[in-house]
Amino acid sequence: NAGVTQTPKFQVLKTGQSMTLQCAQDMNHNSMYWYRQDPGMGLRLIYYSASEGTTDKGEVPNGYNVSRLNKREFSLRLESAAPSQTSVYFCASSGTGKYGYTFGSGTRLTVV
Amino acid sequence: GIQVEQSPPDLILQEGANSTLRCNFSDSVNNLQWFHQNPWGQLINLFYIPSGTKQNGRLSATTVATERYSLLYISSSQTTDSGVYFCAGRADSNYQLIWGAGTKLIIKP
């Protein structure tokens, strides 16, 4: 019963490099989300996907792209990393009903 | 506007004490949830509680939707309860969760 799985857990990038954060859920949830959390702050929504085949911008989408590959997988891509993107990234999913959101364990990204 | 406000912002207690954390939410926010972020950064969904009362061990939560507030109760606190407790509600207008600023709880042994 894995829930939401994110990879990698840690990553260091140089400014200008690109990378993709992977996220997969096994709960048959329709909706998936990418958040970032800066030190001492709450979570801010980057992008979300209400259902397979749809994606929408959240509060802080600039510098990011997403792909909802299928119902299980939702990836986040940084095309040209900047130091301002140093943060902890969380993927989450939600279905209908009583269980609310489930979060992955996070990816700690440092851009130098 | 759409708001979720938490109090207190910080709370320091001795092990064994009880605590109550509060979350006020504005109109157009529903489907309240409580999360615990432990000192290692992991986010755990504690309760999905749009209304009513739920209990899970030493933790319980009550949401009074008509009065726009939710309470999280922690009884007989343990050091492992330390961390930041967030409440969040889903905005009626879209799928986004609106987050409170969190309550940082420190339980001293």
Side-chain angles (χ1 to χ4, degrees), chain A residues 6-92:
Chain A
Q6 286 183 239
T7 56
K9 293 190 183 302
F10 301 94
Q11 184 72 48
V12 178
L13 291 178
K14 294 182 178 179
T15 297
Q17 286 185 316
S18 61
M19 78 162 295
T20 300
L21 282 65
Q22 307 286 353
C23 176
Q25 53 93 7
D26 62 1
M27 295 171 288
N28 202 35
H29 284 169
N30 285 324
S31 302
M32 298 184 73
Y33 313 84
W34 277 104
Y35 287 90
R36 62 176 286 174
Q37 186 178 33
D38 299 321
M41 305 284 286
L43 278 75
R44 292 186 293 171
L45 182 65
I46 304 170
Y47 270 93
Y48 67 99
S49 171
S51 60
E52 186 179 355
T54 68
T55 61
D56 287 284
K57 295 179 180 179
E59 182 184 358
V60 288
N62 291 344
Y64 305 95
N65 285 300
V66 291
S67 295
R68 183 75 182 265
L69 303 171
N70 47 55
K71 191 171 186 178
R72 290 186 65 248
E73 298 172 288
F74 189 39
S75 63
L76 178 71
R77 183 160 178 85
L78 287 71
E79 291 291 352
S80 179
S84 61
Q85 295 177 305
T86 294
S87 190
V88 180
Y89 291 83
F90 288 97
C91 177

